[in-house]
Amino acid sequence: MLCRAACSTSRKLVPGLGALGSRRKHSLPDLPYDYGALEPHINAQIMQLHHSKHHAAYVNNLNIAEEKYREALEKGELLEAIKHDFGSFKNFKEKLTAVSVGVQGSGWGWLGFSKEQGRLQIAACSNQDPLQGTTGLIPLLGIDVWEHAYYLQYKNVRPDYLKAIWNVISWENVAARYMACKK
């Protein structure tokens, strides 16, 4: 009985994310009795330690695990869209890299979402030209190919910089942007 009350949370289902899509985080429930209520068999200090430290850590770790799972689901949906629109992640990566290498002078390589077509697209913009303003695409991932972004480390070898940039992309951020623009 106590566990049912202590472990329950309200959950609303969202397609694609199940119960994780819009639920609030779990919180440490109050005990329905004082820490000292089980004395002399279990003292108040033990109860306080177990409830406020151990049980709290379990609740916190559950929230962390569910957030990571939600992010994985989002990334999975983004990955499926990439596979659908480009054939594979490898094809996508090669195409965005090639477009970014091909920017003359300064600019950006972009992964964007077309609301009109309901699909992902790759584009390049010169200088400070905004992606959405020039192409209508909603920006999901931008790769800065202005020389100041890489020159000190990669000199004028833009392809080496673009090879390395894939190791630091925040896919959680890209997936969140993708999920937001689909709404």
Side-chain angles (χ1 to χ4, degrees):
M1 280 192 174
L2 180 60
C3 183
R4 230 180 292 148
C7 299
S8 68
T9 57
S10 64
R11 297 173 185 227
K12 186 167 75 175
L13 294 179
V14 172
L17 292 180
L20 299 176
S22 64
R23 68 153 192 86
R24 293 183 298 270
K25 289 187 177 239
H26 299 278
S27 60
L28 182 66
D30 292 331
L31 288 177
Y33 49 85
D34 184 71
Y35 288 139
L38 303 179
E39 300 249 13
H41 309 289
I42 300 174
N43 74 27
Q45 184 181 12
I46 290 173
M47 290 302 297
Q48 189 274 332
L49 174 70
H50 277 81
H51 180 255
S52 66
K53 301 292 183 204
H54 297 299
H55 191 173
Y58 295 135
V59 171
N60 185 49
N61 289 337
L62 174 61
N63 286 325
I64 291 168
E66 286 189 347
E67 179 64 21
K68 286 181 179 179
Y69 181 64
R70 184 190 62 75
E71 289 173 4
L73 289 173
E74 288 178 352
K75 281 194 284 190
E77 197 164 328
L78 173 63
L79 182 58
E80 289 306 311
I82 287 171
K83 288 178 182 176
H84 179 266
D85 294 335
F86 301 104
S88 69
F89 184 82
K90 181 179 181 249
N91 290 345
F92 155 70
K93 184 176 171 181
E94 288 172 356
K95 185 171 182 182
L96 182 54
T97 299
V99 165
S100 300
V101 166
V103 172
Q104 294 299 310
S106 298
W108 295 80
W110 291 99
L111 171 65
F113 181 75
S114 169
K115 277 209 178 253
E116 286 181 9
Q117 297 177 15
R119 63 183 300 269
L120 299 172
Q121 292 181 315
I122 291 174
C125 293
S126 297
N127 303 316
Q128 300 96 347
D129 294 350
L131 180 67
Q132 197 161 5
T134 57
T135 66
L137 297 175
I138 299 168
L140 303 179
L141 169 64
I143 299 178
D144 183 352
V145 290
W146 285 63
E147 283 188 344
H148 69 256
Y150 60 88
Y151 189 79
L152 289 176
Q153 184 172 357
Y154 295 96
K155 306 301 180 227
N156 62 345
V157 187
R158 187 181 285 176
D160 287 352
Y161 160 71
L162 290 166
K163 182 179 179 186
I165 200 72
W166 292 96
N167 296 309
V168 296
I169 292 171
S170 172
W171 290 107
E172 292 80 11
N173 181 276
V174 178
R177 289 171 180 268
Y178 175 67
M179 298 302 288
C181 74
K182 286 183 54 183
K183 292 179 181 177

